Amino acid sequence: MKQIAQTDRKAALHHAIRAMILIGIAFYVVYLQTTGKLTLYIAPRMTIYVKLASLALYATAVFSIYEAFRLLSKPPAEACGCSHSAPSSPFRSALTYLLFILPLGIVFLTPDTTIGSAMAANKGMTLSAAQALQKPAEASAEADVPIAEDSGAPITEVVDEPTAEPDPAVSELPADALSTPSPDGEAEPPAGSLDALFPADEYTISYANLGKKLYQQEVIVVEEKRYMEILTALDLFLDRFVGKTITIEGFVYRDDTLTGNAFILGRFAVSCCAADAMPYGVMVQTDHPEQYGNDTWLRMTGTLSTTTYNGNDIMLLQATATEQIEPADDPYVYPNYDF
């Protein structure tokens, strides 16, 4: 009888430890949610599942605590006769629990930070959003694209003027390839002409429709809620947007391949969680870029042109106005599933 009581006490201790671990994980989820930091780790559309999982963890923890009290309060004579023994080795038990306790302690003790240029260097910055275009289902390809929002008040603080000389690390395309499709003051083309300017198949029709709307805007604002969709439309029909004015926000990124007056303004796109985050950006050419260090957040306005980088034709933003801004409340951008 004495051995059975001792086994129950060990089992109760294990139930209590497991309950504390589960409560710690669930509490951390609640902490992230209440502080608005949950989206630093997962996409907003996934938060509901994490919240439900935390409730399940609390329920499991309550059951474990109940089991611990039941084992401690049950008279030995009422034992069912079946085995409830805990792991025989204390070392194995301690090692198993440390696999959960140590990571949990680390996440509580370390600050919650956003991923930035260091992670972009590891993953590699993508400068052609169209390369990541996945063929959507036929129904998605036929979906209507909402009209882009108004660009809002223009940026008045002009820090940078278009650089006169090209960056040594960025070789410009020939001048005849940088023609402006719609000079200032020219009347907007009729719908039929827009269809000719933006040919599309069943997989790119949504981007062509978006491109037509962007083409008619005086200033194209790369807004957060359609960041990837706008960059993809610009990239797919890049020759149509050369000479257009673009406003975009992001963090500064540069590596050893970029010298002189060029850097990249980028954002991380997240589909599910921070683990699948991929950096996308636009090459920027500006005077005095040295005043902006890596991970500095900027809002930049400039003229869109093209350049060749690592053998690929990419977008180049020749900056005319730069404003240093605070990092976005949510530093990541997400696929627009209503697109």
Side-chain angles (χ1 to χ4, degrees):
M1 291 297 184
K2 182 177 180 181
Q3 181 62 36
I4 294 176
Q6 183 180 5
T7 302
D8 284 345
R9 286 196 297 271
K10 288 183 178 180
L13 176 62
H14 283 283
H15 279 299
I17 295 175
R18 292 165 188 169
M20 293 302 101
I21 292 174
L22 293 174
I23 290 175
I25 297 173
F27 178 79
Y28 185 63
V29 173
V30 173
Y31 161 77
L32 292 176
Q33 173 62 26
T34 54
T35 57
K37 297 178 180 179
L38 187 57
T39 52
L40 294 180
Y41 301 95
I42 58 174
R45 67 188 183 93
M46 302 298 296
T47 57
I48 181 62
Y49 304 109
V50 175
K51 294 175 187 177
L52 291 175
S54 67
L55 291 177
L57 291 177
Y58 273 124
T60 305
V62 169
F63 178 77
S64 293
I65 293 174
Y66 166 77
E67 280 294 300
F69 278 108
R70 187 184 68 83
L71 289 170
L72 291 175
S73 61
K74 182 182 67 175
E78 295 182 8
C80 62
C82 52
S83 176
H84 296 289
S85 60
S88 56
S89 170
F91 175 77
R92 287 177 55 191
S93 298
L95 182 60
T96 300
Y97 292 136
L98 281 176
L99 292 177
F100 294 91
I101 295 174
L102 285 179
L104 191 59
I106 291 173
V107 297
F108 272 110
L109 295 175
T110 56
D112 300 299
T113 58
T114 62
I115 53 181
S117 59
M119 182 64 71
N122 291 331
K123 294 200 171 188
M125 183 70 72
T126 301
L127 298 177
S128 178
Q131 291 181 355
L133 177 62
Q134 301 293 326
K135 292 184 177 181
E138 183 175 349
S140 299
E142 295 175 354
D144 292 332
V145 179
I147 299 176
E149 293 182 354
D150 183 70
S151 59
I155 299 173
T156 57
E157 179 187 0
V158 178
V159 177
D160 304 305
E161 296 297 331
T163 182
E165 298 182 359
D167 190 324
V170 182
S171 59
E172 301 267 2
L173 293 179
D176 57 359
L178 304 179
S179 57
T180 302
S182 177
D184 292 340
E186 181 178 312
E188 294 297 340
S193 298
L194 283 177
D195 290 338
L197 288 174
F198 295 90
D201 55 27
E202 60 177 319
Y203 302 112
T204 59
I205 183 64
S206 295
Y207 296 99
N209 289 337
L210 177 58
K212 296 173 189 177
K213 294 178 173 66
L214 297 174
Y215 185 84
Q216 300 176 77
Q217 295 180 8
E218 183 177 353
V219 177
I220 300 173
V221 178
V222 184
E223 57 189 25
E224 280 194 0
K225 69 178 182 180
R226 291 189 298 177
Y227 182 93
M228 290 303 304
E229 290 73 25
I230 292 175
L231 283 189
T232 302
L234 295 177
D235 195 26
L236 280 173
F237 306 99
L238 182 54
D239 57 333
R240 307 305 184 204
F241 293 102
V242 170
K244 288 287 190 178
T245 301
I246 309 293
T247 295
I248 188 170
E249 297 179 0
F251 65 89
V252 174
Y253 168 81
R254 54 171 64 86
D255 56 27
D256 295 338
T257 66
L258 299 172
T259 58
N261 57 353
F263 60 81
I264 295 170
L265 200 66
R267 297 288 293 266
F268 274 92
V270 173
S271 295
C272 178
C273 62
D276 64 26
M278 289 300 297
Y280 292 86
V282 175
M283 183 79 72
V284 175
Q285 199 170 41
T286 179
D287 291 332
H288 310 296
E290 66 279 356
Q291 60 185 306
Y292 308 118
N294 276 1
D295 296 316
T296 302
W297 277 73
L298 302 175
R299 179 185 295 119
M300 305 190 76
T301 297
T303 303
L304 193 66
S305 62
T306 61
T307 189
T308 301
Y309 178 71
N310 288 340
N312 298 312
D313 295 339
I314 61 170
M315 291 183 284
L316 174 67
L317 185 68
Q318 295 180 314
T320 57
T322 302
E323 178 185 358
Q324 186 168 337
I325 60 176
E326 292 295 323
D329 292 335
D330 188 347
Y332 310 134
V333 293
Y334 309 94
N336 190 328
Y337 294 99
D338 295 325
F339 175 70

